[in-house]
Amino acid sequence: AQSVTQPDIHITVSEGASLELRCNYSYGATPYLFWYVQSPGQGLQLLLKYFSGDTLVQGIKGFEAEFKRSQSSFNLRKPSVHWSDAAEYFCAVGAGGSGTYKYIFGTGTRLKVLA
Amino acid sequence: NAGVTQTPKFQVLKTGQSMTLQCAQDMNHNSMYWYRQDPGMGLRLIYYSASEGTTDKGEVPNGYNVSRLNKREFSLRLESAAPSQTSVYFCASKSRGTDTQYFGPGTRLTVL
């Protein structure tokens, strides 16, 4: 069965420090992978996505993610975190054909940024 | 272009009451989705509609019904609300031929 695991429920980093959020997936075929961010009280905003091609994808707000098929991972990174990055981050895999396509989400990682 | 809109933003119900959550998108998307978000559980799919006139169950459909009123609108109905349905509900939509879903701002529902 398809699944997405985000092993870290909470992460705290200092402003200016680097960040890596982990995401592991289980999916039989080539996955479509996504990272979304949710600021407090807000909806979900797409940060970046991977469908095929270059395994290092760039997103908005200075984020990037690397697809590693051998490790079934799609980790999100940012070289220098800003206080405004404090939010909850969700990894998702897109599964199914054109008539049944849907997302499977991880449980999320809540990021706290220390000034 | 408002994207995906949801009404209401907040709602408090008593156990046993019914209500309908409304969702509309103005992006001419074919597929629409309803999720619920609970602490520590991420987003779980309740129902989805791959195209106008079709609906299918997701991971957690019990206690809910949906209607794809037309291409723009996809409503979620709670016939007899229960405290376990206290959650934040998100609607999303997707265009045919793409794989990215766009989310509404959510409805925070409390069932007492």
Side-chain angles (χ1 to χ4, degrees):
Chain A
Q2 302 100 341
S3 66
V4 177
T5 302
Q6 294 181 246
D8 304 305
I9 298 173
H10 294 99
I11 283 186
T12 300
V13 300
S14 297
E15 191 170 19
S18 63
L19 173 70
E20 182 169 32
L21 303 182
R22 296 183 289 165
C23 173
N24 293 97
Y25 67 89
S26 173
Y27 187 64
T30 300
Y32 294 162
L33 294 161
F34 305 83
W35 275 101
Y36 281 84
V37 61
Q38 184 182 30
S39 298
Q42 303 297 313
L44 278 74
Q45 181 182 21
L46 179 68
L47 279 177
L48 48 79
K49 58 189 177 184
Y50 172 78
F51 292 163
S52 64
D54 193 347
T55 57
L56 184 64
V57 293
Q58 303 296 320
I60 62 171
K61 304 185 180 188
F63 285 92
E64 67 179 25
E66 186 171 13
F67 170 61
K68 293 185 177 180
R69 185 186 300 276
S70 61
Q71 299 177 18
S72 297
S73 69
F74 188 56
N75 293 349
L76 182 71
R77 301 194 295 247
K78 186 170 186 178
S80 177
V81 170
H82 188 263
W83 64 266
S84 60
D85 293 324
E88 189 156 22
Y89 292 79
F90 292 95
C91 181
V93 62
S98 60
T100 60
Y101 181 84
K102 48 188 177 286
Y103 280 179
I104 299 162
F105 279 91
T107 52
T109 298
R110 187 171 297 277
L111 174 65
K112 182 176 179 180
V113 180
L114 301 177
Chain B
N1 189 333
V4 180
T5 57
Q6 294 182 236
T7 55
K9 285 187 168 42
F10 301 94
Q11 183 71 48
V12 179
L13 294 178
K14 295 180 180 178
T15 296
Q17 287 184 316
S18 63
M19 81 159 295
T20 300
L21 281 65
Q22 306 286 353
C23 173
Q25 51 90 10
D26 62 2
M27 297 176 283
N28 201 35
H29 286 174
N30 295 95
S31 301
M32 298 184 74
Y33 306 81
W34 276 106
Y35 294 89
R36 60 178 289 171
Q37 182 183 27
D38 302 292
M41 303 192 75
L43 280 82
R44 293 180 292 168
L45 184 64
I46 305 171
Y47 271 93
Y48 66 103
S49 171
S51 61
E52 186 178 356
T54 69
T55 60
D56 285 286
K57 296 178 179 179
E59 184 184 353
V60 287
N62 291 345
Y64 305 95
N65 286 300
V66 290
S67 294
R68 184 73 183 267
L69 304 170
N70 46 56
K71 191 171 186 179
R72 288 186 65 249
E73 299 171 290
F74 188 39
S75 63
L76 179 72
R77 183 161 178 83
L78 289 69
E79 291 290 352
S80 179
S84 61
Q85 294 177 305
T86 294
S87 188
V88 181
Y89 292 85
F90 287 99
C91 178
S93 69
K94 182 186 80 69
S95 176
R96 180 181 296 161
T98 70
D99 297 278
T100 302
Q101 294 184 17
Y102 295 87
F103 286 80
T107 294
R108 186 173 294 273
L109 176 66
T110 301
V111 183
L112 303 175

